[in-house]
Amino acid sequence: MSLLQRSALFIDGANLYATTKALGFDIDYKRLLKEFQSRDNLIRAFYYTAMVEDQEYSSIRPLIDWLDYNGYRVVTKPAREFTDSMGRRRFKGNMDIELAIDALELSPHIDHMVLFSGDGDFRSLVEAMQRRGVRVTVISTIQTQPAMIADELRRQADEFVDLASLMPKIGRDPGERPARAPVDRGPRGNPGLESRYGIRQAGDQVDGE
């Protein structure tokens, strides 16, 4: 791909998390950003996720803080709380509208959209971007049963890339982590960035990256 081609990443956080969990690997978001910077002139990398509003700390917070400081534009909104049929407390948050608006607003300024999601609701967005002259790559997987990508989204995309094929380039190898690594703390004092997500503070020394 030409480095003159302007591209943007749009990451559906909840969908990508479910996909990587199904495939059994963790993403190193530092490696992910470097990989796509090497392919195109990457002008934006968006990450979308809903947040539980009444929790000061949640398992996703260290990742959100790190992404926000390290080249990603994080878009969040409060998750809605509801009670399921079994009386259990559940949370739901859909970021489709936010992602679609950002993509359409950015469409005059990019040549290539990379969408990390398998959600079939994005088919209409992909079609709208294509009408605006933007080529769309969708990244999800068909390696699971059932596949994580909706068939209509896969067919609409200009290119489909199976996330499993990117594992060597953007995945984190649990074997690389020391058995008792020092606890690191994010900008808000939350532990575990290195051990939980394979990401490091900006000032850390990193060999071979």
Side-chain angles (χ1 to χ4, degrees), residues 78-126:
R80 297 195 309 274
E81 182 179 348
F82 68 98
T83 303
D84 68 12
S85 59
M86 302 295 290
R88 292 170 297 193
R89 187 184 184 202
R90 300 288 190 184
F91 297 92
K92 184 177 182 179
N94 190 311
M95 301 294 295
D96 293 5
I97 294 297
E98 288 80 4
L99 191 156
I101 290 173
D102 286 343
L104 290 169
E105 286 186 343
L106 202 58
S107 62
H109 308 289
I110 61 174
D111 309 298
H112 183 206
M113 173 187 184
V114 181
L115 174 64
F116 282 81
S117 183
D119 189 343
D121 290 344
F122 286 124
R123 190 206 66 79
S124 295
L125 170 63
V126 170

Side-chain angles (χ1 to χ4, degrees), residues 35-185:
E35 172 64 23
F36 285 89
Q37 285 172 336
S38 72
R39 296 182 178 207
D40 287 341
N41 176 17
L42 184 65
I43 63 172
R44 290 284 187 277
F46 293 94
Y47 184 96
Y48 300 84
T49 189
M51 301 286 290
V52 179
E53 199 172 34
D54 63 350
Q55 291 184 356
E56 176 65 23
Y57 174 83
S58 67
S59 60
I60 192 71
R61 173 59 70 182
L63 175 62
I64 295 305
D65 286 339
W66 187 91
L67 293 173
D68 217 12
Y69 280 88
N70 289 273
Y72 290 84
R73 183 162 296 184
V74 178
V75 182
T76 66
K77 74 177 181 183
R80 297 195 309 274
E81 182 179 348
F82 68 98
T83 303
D84 68 12
S85 59
M86 302 295 290
R88 292 170 297 193
R89 187 184 184 202
R90 300 288 190 184
F91 297 92
K92 184 177 182 179
N94 190 311
M95 301 294 295
D96 293 5
I97 294 297
E98 288 80 4
L99 191 156
I101 290 173
D102 286 343
L104 290 169
E105 286 186 343
L106 202 58
S107 62
H109 308 289
I110 61 174
D111 309 298
H112 183 206
M113 173 187 184
V114 181
L115 174 64
F116 282 81
S117 183
D119 189 343
D121 290 344
F122 286 124
R123 190 206 66 79
S124 295
L125 170 63
V126 170
E127 185 179 25
M129 295 294 285
Q130 290 166 335
R131 287 198 302 268
R132 288 161 171 77
V134 177
R135 189 170 65 86
V136 181
T137 296
V138 171
I139 299 177
S140 184
T141 190
I142 57 172
Q143 301 299 317
T144 55
Q145 292 295 333
M148 295 298 290
I149 185 168
D151 187 59
E152 62 269 25
L153 179 62
R154 184 183 174 195
R155 284 187 279 112
Q156 185 66 48
D158 293 294
E159 181 182 5
F160 166 70
V161 175
D162 200 297
L163 187 63
S165 70
L166 294 176
M167 218 181 292
K169 295 181 178 179
I170 67 172
R172 176 170 63 90
D173 182 2
E176 293 177 356
R177 189 177 64 211
R180 290 187 175 274
V183 174
D184 62 330
R185 297 185 176 275

